[in-house]
């Protein structure tokens, strides 16, 4: 069955396959090639949504991307529910399910429409004024209620199952827009042989030729020429034609973001196709051929379903073969609407009248309309459109006032003229200039290597457009390095005219009138709201915009900005440019997060780094924690153990026998060269010149301001070679810090820096049995205390593999760190593990490592320090070379604030009740009874249950901490106050005898 | 995304490969241990933050890893020129491409 409003008199879908779709549960027929909007109109359905604030019934305004009204939800399945889809953009496929939004219980009967009656309450600035107090109510009452009732669509509640592709592309000439201008420019550029990309947002190129049936190019009907040209371009090796592709953002140096809708129009996209593809195109030259957008008329009731742009009605007829009504009124100030009336009349619709604001419209189109017997009411205005869910009449009077006449209509076409689409030009940071004669903003000063052609440049006739575009295409190609010139000539003829136009409210919607004359349909902003904003003191369009929200909806004011500006300018008694045009920002139309994210989600969101021992640790049942990008073994629970039990066992085992730990994630940097020691002297607070090869030292790195930046054990392998370790998190920034100084401050030093973090895997073996475990595996060195004391390093072999064997400890026990090349790591781990089993060793994770080091008072940079802690504050003054004359931070350390009394210092905290474990981050006070807000002395930086000490242990930064030894301080918590005693940092083996034990 | 000319690679590369490293031509005093608090403050804390021409350091961190200097317009974001670390501060006028 043919839909009731489908005509055979016009349209390009003849013979297309019929498909069916549903809207709010009702089933309809469509033709392949329809948009949801054209398909609904073909079925006589104009009511497609409810407005944002007043819940007013709305139909389509446009036939394109500028649509502010017909926003619907598209539901493919439970996980694929896309809200706020423009019905004018969504192509129909067989089985498409669409639902209306922002209505309850139904689109035709919506309870929220009471907002329309109560609308005096909801004038501009309403939100700012009404929901000010009480503050708490905003979160609990106002915001949820406002969001629920003034909503757009409902966000999907499941993860997006689709995938999105992403591509980078480079070209010589990028043409944005595939209308007559864009295609002419692309062809002119392409024929020189340069690489061209041309993108158009529609499923097929053509632009305004989609509805302008009065144009011919190169002897063919405009539309046919466009399709043939696109095919010709697509067949060229140096050209890529992208349709369904929107240029949404113009960034620095001709980087343009495009989003290609790959499969939203397909009934069954399958799993192989991405839903969308993001193109990031870098072009030598960009040609903007983005066309123009028709403006609506601002009058009372201009939002009734059935009231739409003249060019939209013409598109529905000439492209889709759909009549938007049977008795159609036209309200215009521009010639172009006459062409719509003529086409509709010839297709069999009755034209009730053309109401033209102009007193004496003249020209060929006007003559033709008159010849067809269409009544032309010039010098008149429409003061009101009436009707409930669909426009039923227009009320007309002379622009100067006087008696009214009501004319029945079932559709009302409007045209206030055309607004050049300067969005992308503006995004490129070009400055628009106001053309006083035509009262429009046109591209002025360019900021990038681009050029505008055609309607977006204010070029009104087809012949001029084509000529301008060809010249621009050739020039861009030449600038991009084209070797040859193309001599493209295209003959363009047209009976179309875009003469005329107006901006602002129509006569009859002036300051003295009541009624709702909408400027911004999507945000429900009326002419009255804009005048109110001016009355309330807004002077700049930026203020008016924010006060009224005009142009701030997702349509970015494509139809409303200029009207809003004109009304504000009139109210202010100023010229439009004095009030200013808001800057257009990306995206031009809404872009899905999916397209921007591409493949960077889930597992691919961020690289995962696994150490060379990861498989071994998994086999041992490790629970992993994320440390930056690393997966680190956190603890190794055995059957029946929770984390607490596992960590307690691991900590006890290390001190009783030994523990095996993966220390591979520590940053490692090799500092090599004749001046390596000199460089180390500058980068670390400690002295290095006299450190003997084969020995190690704990080093502290400062920033120039004197604060601790990083720390780690450094081994001197040879006079000119240091093996530096850094914290896990600091690996990259320490390397950067060193490179910075070496390249820019100390370039005279003969030193090379190499990151070796990934090359060496590290097994720490810590505990009284550590030497017994590894000695049998090590070849070629004497591991006795005399030959290899604490803090020494040897190059040897282990299990036949090369090793840098450190004797060092982060547990306070005798300990070793075996560095082996990552490729040998697994085999060495297995051997060490087998040995460990003979001596009662266990594997321990990062949690036990933290407890063991805290028992010894060893700090973790970034946990016990926070970028405002000096070595003195941390109790590490011994590591600062007092005789040194220079190192990074030497001067910072002497700053008055850094040597002042009362600085926060790192101390131990013993809870009076040994069973209590403090919370890290908890605040510390001297008197818990003082009034709130209390004077805080510091906070807890590290806190654990220590099985080895049989009590909770903690470190904290406390003001004047070193002078408070033995004092009782308090940690106020929500439910209690915890008493603590200030003690030294070391809780276990204070004399450090076990390092050698 | 900007294109940045690395003076070591002698190529225009996308901004993603680079990292800004603050204002250029602020030399660490050779006698830093002896300078006054005022001099230290000037050296360490005070930056010019101009509207217009800005001399700044960049690092081609995901490329050759070299630090270099650039003259950029802080209004338009545009690079006027880049040059190697250690080279003299060039005299460039706003709006002029060096
Ligand atoms: Zn480079």
């Amino acid at each position: 069955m043919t839909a009731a409003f489908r005509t055979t008199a016009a349209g390009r879908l003849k013979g297309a396959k019929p498909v069916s779709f549903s809207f709010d549960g009702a089933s309809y027929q469509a033709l392949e090639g329809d948009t949801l909007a054209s398909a609904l109109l073909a079925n006589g359905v104009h009511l497609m949504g409810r407005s944002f604030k007043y819940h007013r019934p709305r139909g389509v305004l446009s036939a394109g991307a500028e649509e502010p009204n017909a926003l619907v939800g598209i539901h493919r399945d439970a996980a694929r529910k896309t809200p706020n889809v423009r019905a004018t953009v969504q192509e129909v496929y067989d089985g498409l399910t669409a639902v209306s939004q922002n209505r309850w219980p139904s689109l035709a009967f919506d309870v929220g429409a009471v907002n329309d009656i109560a609308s005096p309450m909801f004038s501009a600035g309403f939100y700012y004024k009404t929901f000010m107090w009480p503050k708490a109510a905003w979160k609990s009452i106002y915001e949820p209620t406002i969001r629920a009732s003034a909503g757009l669509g409902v966000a999907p509640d499941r993860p997006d199952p689709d995938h999105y592709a992403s591509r980078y592309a480079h070209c010589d000439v990028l043409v944005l827009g595939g209308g007559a201008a864009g295609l002419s420019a692309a062809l002119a550029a392409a024929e020189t042989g340069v690489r061209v990309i041309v993108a158009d947002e529609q499923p097929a190129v053509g632009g305004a030729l989609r509805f302008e049936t009065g144009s011919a190019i190169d002897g063919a009907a405009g539309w046919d020429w466009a399709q043939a040209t696109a095919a010709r371009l697509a067949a060229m090796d140096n050209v890529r034609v992208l349709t369904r592709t929107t240029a949404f953002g113009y960034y620095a140096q001709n980087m343009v973001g495009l989003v290609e809708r790959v499969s939203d129009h397909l009934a069954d996209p399958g799993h192989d196709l991405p839903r969308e593809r993001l193109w990031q195109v870098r072009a030598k030259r960009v040609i903007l051929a983005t066309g123009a957008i028709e403006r609506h008329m601002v009058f009372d009731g201009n939002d009734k379903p059935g009231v739409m742009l003249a060019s939209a009605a013409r598109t529905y007829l000439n492209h889709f073969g759909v009549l938007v009504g049977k008795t159609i009124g036209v309200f215009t100030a521009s010639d172009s609407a006459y062409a719509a009336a003529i086409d509709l009349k010839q297709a069999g619709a009755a034209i009730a009248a053309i109401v033209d604001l102009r007193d004496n419209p003249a020209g060929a189109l006007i003559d033709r309309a008159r010849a067809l017997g269409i009544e032309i009411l010039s010098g008149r205005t429409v003061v009101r459109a009436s009707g409930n869910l669909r426009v039923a009449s227009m009320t007309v009077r002379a622009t100067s006032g006087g008696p009214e006449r009501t004319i029945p209509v079932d559709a009302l076409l409007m045209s206030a003229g055309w607004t050049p689409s300067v969005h992308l030009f503006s995004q490129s940071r070009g400055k628009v200039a106001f053309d006083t004669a035509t009262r429009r903003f046109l591209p002025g000063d360019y900021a990038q290597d681009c050029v505008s052609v055609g309607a977006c440049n204010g070029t009104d006739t087809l012949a001029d457009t084509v000529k301008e575009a060809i010249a621009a295409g050739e020039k861009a190609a030449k600038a991009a390095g084209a070797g040859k010139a193309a001599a493209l000539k295209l003959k363009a003829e047209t009976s179309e005219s875009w003469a005329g136009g107006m901006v602002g409210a129509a006569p009859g919607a002036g300051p003295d009138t009541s009624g709702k004359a909408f400027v911004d349909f999507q945000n429900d902003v009326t002419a009255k709201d804009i005048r109110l904003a001016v009355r309330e003191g807004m002077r700049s369009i930026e203020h008016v915009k924010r006060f009224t929200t005009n142009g701030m909806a997702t349509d970015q004011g494509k139809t409303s900005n200029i009207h809003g500006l004109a009304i504000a300018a009139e109210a202010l008694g100023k010229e439009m440019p004095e009030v200013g045009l808001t800057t257009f920002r990306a995206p031009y139309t809404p872009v899905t997060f999916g397209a921007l994210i591409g493949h960077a989600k889930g597992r691919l969101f961020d690289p995962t780094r696994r150490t060379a021992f990861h498989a071994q640790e998994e086999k041992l049942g490790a629970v992993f924690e994320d440390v930056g990008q690393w997966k680190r073994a956190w603890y190794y629970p055995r059957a029946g153990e929770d984390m607490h039990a596992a960590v307690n066992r691991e900590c006890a085992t290390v001190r009783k026998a030994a523990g095996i730990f993966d220390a591979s994630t520590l940053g490692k940097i090799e500092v090599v060269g004749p001046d390596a020691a000199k460089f180390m002297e500058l980068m670390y607070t400690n002295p290095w010149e006299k450190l003997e090869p084969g020995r190690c030292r704990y080093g502290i790195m400062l920033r120039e301001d004197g604060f601790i930046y990083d720390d780690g054990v450094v081994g001197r392998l040879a006079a000119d070679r240091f093996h530096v370790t850094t914290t896990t998190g600091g690996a990259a920034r320490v390397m950067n810090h060193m490179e910075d100084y070496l390249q820019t401050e100390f370039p005279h030093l003969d030193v090379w820096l190499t990151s070796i973090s990934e090359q060496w895997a590290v097994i720490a073996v810590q505990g009284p049995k550590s030497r017994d475990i590894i000695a049998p595996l090590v070849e070629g060195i004497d591991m006795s205390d005399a030959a290899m004391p604490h803090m020494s390093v040897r190059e040897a072999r282990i299990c036949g593999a090369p090793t840098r064997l450190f004797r060092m400890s982060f547990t306070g026990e005798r300990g070793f760190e075996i560095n082996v090349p990552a490729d040998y790591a697994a085999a060495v781990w297995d051997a060490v593990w087998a040995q460990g089993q003979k001596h009662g060793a266990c594997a321990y994770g990062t949690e036990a490592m933290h407890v063991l080091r805290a028992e010894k008072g060893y700090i973790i940079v970034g946990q016990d320090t926070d970028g405002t802690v000096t070595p003195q504050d941390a109790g590490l003054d011994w590591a600062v070379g007092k005789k040194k004359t220079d190192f990074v931070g030497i001067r910072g350390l002497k700053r008055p604030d850094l040597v002042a009394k009362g600085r926060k210092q790192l101390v131990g905290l013993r809870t009076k009740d040994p069973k209590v474990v403090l919370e890290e981050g908890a605040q510390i006070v001297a008197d818990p009874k003082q009034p709130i807000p209390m004077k805080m002395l510091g906070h807890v930086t590290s806190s654990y249950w220590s099985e080895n000490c049989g009590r909770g242990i903690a470190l904290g930064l406390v003001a004047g901490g070193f002078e408070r030894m033995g004092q009782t301080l308090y940690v106020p918590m929500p439910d209690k106050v915890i008493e603590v005693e200030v003690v030294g940092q070391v809780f276990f083996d204070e004399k450090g005898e076990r390092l050698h034990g | 995304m900007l294109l940045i000319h690395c003076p070591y690679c002698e190529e225009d590369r996308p901004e993603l490969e680079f990292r800004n490293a603050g204002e250029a031509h602020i030399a660490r005093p050779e006698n830093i241990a002896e300078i006054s608090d005022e001099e230290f403050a000037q050296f360490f804390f005070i930056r010019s933050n101009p509207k217009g021409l800005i001399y700044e350091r960049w690092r081609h961190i995901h490329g050759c890893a070299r630090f270099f200097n650039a003259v950029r317009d802080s209004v338009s974001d545009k690079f006027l020129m880049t040059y190697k670390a250690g080279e003299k501060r060039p005299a460039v006028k706003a709006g002029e491409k060096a």
Side-chain angles (χ1 to χ4, degrees):
Chain A
M1 195 193 80
T2 310
F5 288 83
R6 188 83 67 179
T7 175
T8 50
R12 304 189 182 103
L13 305 188
K14 278 168 224 144
K17 205 177 112 197
V19 293
S20 61
F21 71 100
S22 77
F23 179 59
D24 278 348
S27 235
Y28 298 99
Q29 289 291 306
L31 294 176
E32 221 163 54
D34 263 324
T35 61
L36 178 59
S38 70
L40 284 169
L41 292 174
N43 287 280
V45 178
H46 277 253
L47 177 61
M48 296 185 199
R50 288 273 173 174
S51 72
F52 177 67
K53 194 156 76 170
Y54 301 130
H55 290 244
R56 285 172 63 105
R58 291 281 166 83
V60 285
L61 176 74
S62 73
E66 69 270 36
E67 179 59 34
N69 282 339
L71 305 178
V72 299
I74 302 293
H75 296 181
R76 263 191 202 273
D77 54 39
R80 293 173 172 86
K81 293 181 178 173
T82 312
N84 307 327
V85 175
R86 288 153 296 166
T88 53
V89 172
Q90 174 68 48
E91 295 168 65
V92 170
Y93 51 80
D94 198 36
L96 177 137
T97 304
V99 294
S100 61
Q101 303 182 152
N102 201 26
R103 85 294 190 260
W104 185 84
S106 77
L107 187 54
F109 177 73
D110 172 28
V111 168
V114 71
N115 285 3
D116 194 21
I117 299 157
S119 63
M121 276 175 57
F122 294 100
S123 61
F126 159 74
Y127 293 117
Y128 303 128
K129 292 173 192 163
T130 310
F131 301 113
M132 292 288 285
W133 190 89
K135 214 165 138 192
W138 179 255
K139 254 197 139 86
S140 59
I141 303 168
Y142 297 147
E143 190 177 341
T145 312
I146 293 168
R147 285 210 187 281
S149 60
L152 291 165
V154 179
D157 55 4
R158 299 199 192 174
D160 185 349
D162 288 317
H163 72 279
Y164 297 80
S166 182
R167 287 193 60 172
Y168 288 92
H170 296 260
C171 66
D172 295 307
V173 180
L174 172 64
V175 182
L176 302 175
L183 291 173
S184 304
L187 194 58
E191 291 205 334
T192 69
V194 300
R195 293 170 305 161
V196 175
I197 296 176
V198 53
D200 192 272
E201 65 185 356
Q202 292 286 343
V205 296
L209 300 171
R210 205 159 58 128
F211 57 85
E212 281 194 348
T213 42
S215 294
I217 301 175
D218 222 11
W223 176 262
D224 297 338
W225 170 83
Q227 305 318 309
T229 303
R232 183 173 156 196
L233 286 166
M236 295 168 80
D237 289 340
N238 56 326
V239 182
R240 185 190 292 279
V241 179
L242 294 168
T243 53
R244 296 190 179 91
T245 302
T246 303
F248 64 84
Y250 197 133
Y251 305 98
Q253 287 173 287
N254 278 355
M255 169 76 106
V256 179
L258 314 173
V259 70
E260 180 185 3
R261 292 176 297 283
V262 180
S263 60
D264 268 356
H265 63 291
L266 300 176
D268 182 15
H271 294 294
D272 294 341
L273 282 182
R275 182 178 173 213
E276 295 176 326
R277 179 178 292 122
L278 177 74
W279 290 84
Q280 287 164 273
V281 183
R282 178 84 68 178
K284 286 188 189 149
R285 289 290 183 282
V286 173
I287 296 178
L288 297 165
T290 47
I293 291 171
E294 196 170 23
R295 286 188 302 279
H296 60 282
M297 283 287 193
V298 178
F299 62 99
D300 182 17
N302 63 348
D303 65 326
K304 303 273 180 200
V307 183
M308 68 181 74
L309 298 173
S311 62
R314 210 176 164 206
T315 303
Y316 291 120
L317 177 69
N318 290 340
H319 188 77
F320 298 103
V322 172
L323 288 162
V324 299
K326 297 203 154 104
T327 309
I328 298 170
V330 178
F331 181 21
T332 188
S334 161
D335 285 5
S336 56
Y338 284 78
I342 292 165
D343 288 353
L344 282 158
K345 169 103 181 170
Q346 287 176 333
I351 302 300
I354 297 176
V355 181
D356 196 325
L357 285 178
R358 298 172 293 180
D359 288 330
N360 296 301
L365 280 171
I366 289 91
D367 295 342
R368 274 183 66 204
R370 201 169 275 130
L372 283 170
I374 297 172
E375 184 181 6
I376 297 170
L377 302 170
S378 56
R380 312 287 168 84
T381 185
V382 173
V383 292
R384 186 177 324 112
S386 303
N388 183 15
L389 299 178
R390 171 88 180 260
V391 64
S393 67
M394 60 178 181
T395 300
V396 181
R397 67 157 166 76
T399 51
S400 52
E404 296 180 350
R405 170 186 160 196
T406 297
I407 303 172
V409 292
D410 62 357
L412 175 49
L413 317 187
M414 31 180 195
S415 179
W418 295 83
T419 306
S421 291
V422 294
H423 309 79
L424 291 171
F425 169 77
S426 178
Q427 285 184 27
S428 80
R429 295 195 177 188
K431 293 263 179 294
V432 294
F434 189 67
D435 183 61
T436 317
T438 56
R439 303 198 77 191
R440 57 188 179 179
F441 289 93
L442 296 173
D445 292 336
Y446 283 84
Q448 299 205 35
D449 291 331
C450 63
V451 63
S452 302
V453 296
C456 71
N457 196 34
T459 307
D460 291 328
T461 72
L462 184 68
D464 289 348
T465 289
V466 169
K467 212 168 115 188
E468 176 179 75
I470 290 173
E474 285 176 354
K475 194 175 163 195
K478 196 173 168 203
K484 60 173 183 181
L488 181 65
K489 285 208 165 56
L490 294 170
K491 192 174 159 212
E493 298 159 289
T494 189
S495 58
E496 307 283 345
S497 165
W498 284 17
M502 61 84 68
V503 291
D512 49 346
T513 56
S514 61
K516 282 199 185 70
F518 285 92
V519 176
D520 179 333
F521 295 104
Q522 198 180 349
N523 266 353
D524 268 350
V525 180
T526 64
K528 228 183 328 183
D529 290 327
I530 290 173
R531 295 187 190 110
L532 174 66
V534 171
R535 271 209 308 284
E536 299 243 350
M538 311 301 143
R539 289 294 173 268
S540 141
I541 196 65
E542 295 288 352
H543 297 149
V544 171
K545 170 180 162 174
R546 279 157 187 82
F547 189 79
T548 62
T549 70
N550 191 59
M552 287 174 72
T554 54
D555 72 336
Q556 288 211 18
K558 289 183 179 63
T559 49
S560 62
N561 275 339
I562 298 297
H563 281 321
L565 175 58
I567 293 165
E570 191 190 1
L572 286 162
K574 289 182 175 172
E575 279 302 311
M576 285 167 65
E578 290 176 64
V579 184
L581 182 67
T582 55
T583 307
F584 295 99
R585 312 224 181 256
Y588 173 70
T589 51
V591 177
T592 63
F593 283 112
L596 297 176
I597 290 162
H599 296 295
K601 61 179 181 179
R603 278 189 324 111
L604 300 179
F605 174 65
D606 203 26
T608 301
R609 301 175 80 183
R610 293 182 181 82
T611 73
F613 306 122
H614 193 84
Q616 270 69 21
E617 289 158 6
E618 269 182 333
K619 234 186 297 171
L620 293 172
V623 174
F624 292 89
E625 68 166 335
D626 290 334
V627 179
Q629 293 174 332
W630 288 106
K631 295 279 177 202
R632 297 198 73 180
W634 193 9
Y635 58 99
Y636 295 84
R638 291 183 180 168
E641 279 184 345
D642 61 6
M643 178 176 174
H644 189 66
V647 172
N648 286 348
R649 172 182 49 74
E650 290 170 21
C651 289
T653 308
V654 169
R655 300 223 185 275
K656 204 168 66 211
I660 297 170
F661 175 73
D662 177 359
S664 303
T665 64
L666 287 183
K668 296 175 277 292
I669 299 168
E670 201 157 293
V671 178
V672 184
D675 295 325
K678 262 188 209 147
F679 182 69
M680 289 297 294
E681 288 277 343
L682 287 163
M683 298 315 297
Y684 285 84
T685 59
N686 321 62
W688 300 95
E689 295 274 18
K690 292 200 176 119
L691 182 70
E692 279 173 34
R695 298 309 304 262
C696 304
R697 183 160 283 167
Y698 168 74
I700 297 179
M701 171 178 271
L702 305 183
R703 300 190 315 189
E704 208 70 83
D705 57 10
F707 295 131
I708 295 175
Y709 191 61
D710 204 73
D711 69 349
V713 169
V714 177
R716 190 169 196 175
L717 299 172
D720 61 353
R721 186 174 297 258
F722 291 84
H723 178 114
V724 175
T725 67
T726 76
T727 58
T728 296
R733 66 179 147 79
V734 168
M735 184 73 184
N736 189 67
H737 180 82
M738 286 187 176
E739 279 286 352
D740 193 348
Y741 277 96
L742 181 60
Q743 289 184 34
T744 68
E745 296 291 355
F746 313 129
H748 55 280
L749 296 181
D750 200 357
V751 175
W752 283 268
L753 303 172
T754 309
S755 167
I756 52 169
S757 301
E758 307 262 355
Q759 279 63 35
W760 294 99
V762 185
I763 309 168
V765 184
Q766 301 274 313
K769 304 279 189 196
S770 57
R771 182 169 56 192
D772 300 341
I773 290 170
I774 61 176
L777 306 174
V778 176
E779 308 151 42
I781 51 167
D782 181 353
M783 287 181 66
S784 69
D785 282 344
M788 191 176 178
H790 179 57
M791 292 303 263
S792 51
V793 59
R794 297 287 178 272
E795 289 183 276
R797 299 189 85 78
I798 185 163
C799 309
T803 181
R804 288 179 179 176
L805 181 65
F806 284 72
R807 179 166 173 191
M808 57 181 278
S809 176
F810 200 43
T811 58
E813 301 296 322
R814 169 192 295 278
F816 296 87
E817 291 197 357
I818 306 162
N819 287 252
V820 286
D823 288 349
Y824 298 103
V828 174
W829 174 284
D830 288 343
V832 170
W833 178 254
Q835 274 293 111
Q837 292 311 289
K838 296 181 198 161
H839 296 276
C842 73
Y844 68 101
T846 49
E847 188 64 22
M849 176 271 283
H850 273 107
V851 177
L852 292 164
R853 67 89 198 174
E855 288 172 352
K856 292 296 300 174
Y858 297 151
I859 67 160
I860 294 213
V861 170
Q863 175 167 345
D864 301 300
T865 70
D866 61 3
T868 66
V869 176
T870 66
Q872 287 79 0
D873 299 338
L876 299 169
D877 196 27
W878 57 266
V880 180
K882 302 293 177 309
K883 290 184 194 145
K884 290 176 70 168
T885 55
D886 198 3
F887 58 83
V888 171
I890 191 169
R891 180 60 186 81
L893 282 177
K894 289 188 272 184
R895 292 190 290 144
D897 284 355
L898 270 60
V899 296
K901 264 185 139 25
R903 286 190 60 78
K904 285 183 185 170
Q905 292 160 331
L906 192 71
V907 293
L909 299 168
R910 266 170 74 100
T911 48
K912 288 278 160 84
D913 177 350
K915 294 274 170 281
V916 172
V917 179
L918 294 170
E919 255 184 54
E920 288 176 357
Q923 296 291 326
I924 301 163
V925 302
D927 171 13
K929 298 204 172 70
Q930 63 185 299
I932 292 170
M934 297 188 189
K935 183 175 163 42
M936 261 105 61
L937 297 177
H939 69 280
V940 178
T941 60
S942 291
S943 178
Y944 310 92
W945 171 258
S946 164
E947 189 72 1
N948 290 314
C949 302
R951 60 162 19 266
I953 59 167
L955 297 171
L957 283 166
V958 177
F962 297 156
E963 286 164 15
R964 291 182 189 270
M965 289 299 149
Q967 272 188 24
T968 298
L969 297 176
Y970 300 88
V971 178
M973 299 302 290
D975 54 337
K976 63 184 172 208
V977 173
I978 303 168
E979 263 184 86
V980 298
E981 185 193 342
V982 179
V983 296
Q985 293 169 5
V986 186
F987 291 89
F988 187 84
D989 181 29
E990 217 166 320
K991 289 187 182 144
E993 287 160 344
R994 299 179 66 92
L995 286 169
H996 315 284
Chain B
M1 186 169 36
L2 295 164
L3 286 172
I4 301 176
H5 183 82
C6 174
Y8 294 95
C9 296
E10 299 185 337
E11 267 190 64
D12 291 344
R13 305 294 302 170
E15 190 183 335
L16 282 175
E17 296 181 5
F18 298 83
R19 190 172 299 163
N20 184 280
E23 190 166 346
H25 300 294
I26 296 171
R28 184 177 188 269
E30 286 189 14
N31 60 340
I32 193 163
E34 276 106 53
I35 63 176
S36 68
D37 287 339
E38 180 55 35
E39 286 165 327
F40 181 79
Q42 275 300 328
F43 157 67
F44 190 74
F45 295 111
I46 307 300
R47 294 295 178 267
S48 61
N49 191 27
K51 180 180 180 180
L53 282 193
I54 177 167
Y55 291 75
E56 59 190 5
R57 306 190 318 134
W58 286 79
R59 186 179 186 206
H60 194 184
I61 188 158
H62 301 298
C64 64
R66 300 296 296 266
F67 283 85
F68 60 88
N69 292 330
V71 192
R72 200 166 60 84
D73 186 330
S74 66
V75 178
S76 70
D77 289 343
K78 279 186 184 163
F79 281 82
L80 279 77
M81 67 175 296
T82 57
Y83 52 103
K84 292 178 181 175
E87 285 179 11
K88 267 201 158 146
R89 177 192 174 106
V92 180
K93 276 195 214 122
E96 154 185 305
K97 188 115 187 165

